[in-house]
Amino acid sequence: KKWEKREARPLAWCPQECDEEYKDKMTGCYGPFESGCIFRKSESISRMMHVWWGFREKHLGSKHPERGLRKSLDKDVRLHTFWNKVYFDDAQEWIGKPLSKFVPTFSYTTQHKWDVKAMLTDLLAERPELGKIVNNAHKRREADEFKKRRSNSTHTEL
């Protein structure tokens, strides 16, 4: 029933960190990517941020204090205090995974360890349209650098 009372305009939306494949969102997702959250400008947002920051201190003494900000947003702010104003969605199709369409992110893999260059090479091999975009950008940059060098050499000859 509490979901029926949600406001149409949330104060915050965050993409969730989820397994690449899962059956149930409750067990396959682990909370927000805080750096991807979008906050609506309003008078209520400063109160929510203050509450969020205060709850984070509760988690500082836990086994993983570095996760305090995430835990307080997920467990305290979203589920209790501001349950009808903070939304999380699985957005991995668009953000947060190596094959995401808009903002792919890379982390440790058993195949490449921390070699992001190798991960990007694999991504470009799997998605040739991205390779074309990168190549075109590189060609434009080279052309711009050539024009700049040419104009600088023309100015020095005068």
Side-chain angles (χ1 to χ4, degrees):
K1 289 186 176 187
K2 73 178 184 179
W3 303 113
E4 294 171 5
K5 295 180 182 178
R6 279 191 180 251
E7 290 184 1
R9 297 184 62 196
L11 289 176
W13 173 87
C14 299
Q16 276 188 304
E17 182 178 1
C18 300
D19 291 334
E20 290 186 25
E21 294 182 24
Y22 59 88
K23 292 180 183 175
D24 179 19
K25 199 174 188 178
M26 295 302 286
T27 58
C29 296
Y30 308 101
F33 279 117
E34 306 90 85
S35 61
C37 293
I38 299 170
F39 298 96
R40 180 167 55 98
K41 184 178 177 181
S42 74
E43 290 181 22
S44 304
I45 195 71
S46 62
R47 181 173 167 264
M48 188 193 88
M49 299 301 266
H50 185 75
V51 168
W52 179 14
W53 188 257
F55 274 128
R56 131 196 139 2
E57 291 185 7
K58 170 173 115 176
H59 300 284
L60 291 179
S62 69
K63 186 177 178 182
H64 298 285
E66 69 279 1
R67 297 182 191 159
L69 200 58
R70 170 188 264 182
K71 282 183 177 180
S72 64
L73 179 61
D74 188 22
K75 306 290 185 214
D76 302 315
V77 176
R78 180 178 68 108
L79 293 180
H80 299 292
T81 314
F82 290 89
W83 63 266
N84 64 338
K85 296 181 181 180
V86 179
Y87 299 118
F88 294 168
D89 275 328
D90 176 7
Q92 65 184 335
E93 177 183 351
W94 296 100
I95 185 173
K97 298 289 180 185
L99 295 177
S100 298
K101 294 177 182 175
F102 184 63
V103 181
T105 57
F106 302 94
S107 59
Y108 181 86
T109 65
T110 53
Q111 181 181 6
H112 296 301
K113 310 270 188 264
W114 289 103
D115 188 355
V116 175
K117 183 178 179 180
M119 292 180 223
L120 283 170
T121 302
D122 285 354
L123 176 67
L124 293 174
E126 291 174 21
R127 297 182 45 201
E129 72 277 7
L130 292 178
K132 290 177 187 174
I133 293 168
V134 170
N135 287 335
N136 287 338
H138 183 69
K139 287 176 186 175
R140 278 194 302 274
R141 189 172 352 147
E142 284 180 341
D144 290 344
E145 288 173 5
F146 176 76
K147 288 178 188 174
K148 187 176 179 180
R149 282 193 308 265
R150 190 171 175 191
S151 70
N152 285 343
S153 66
T154 306
H155 292 294
T156 55
E157 290 174 11
L158 297 176

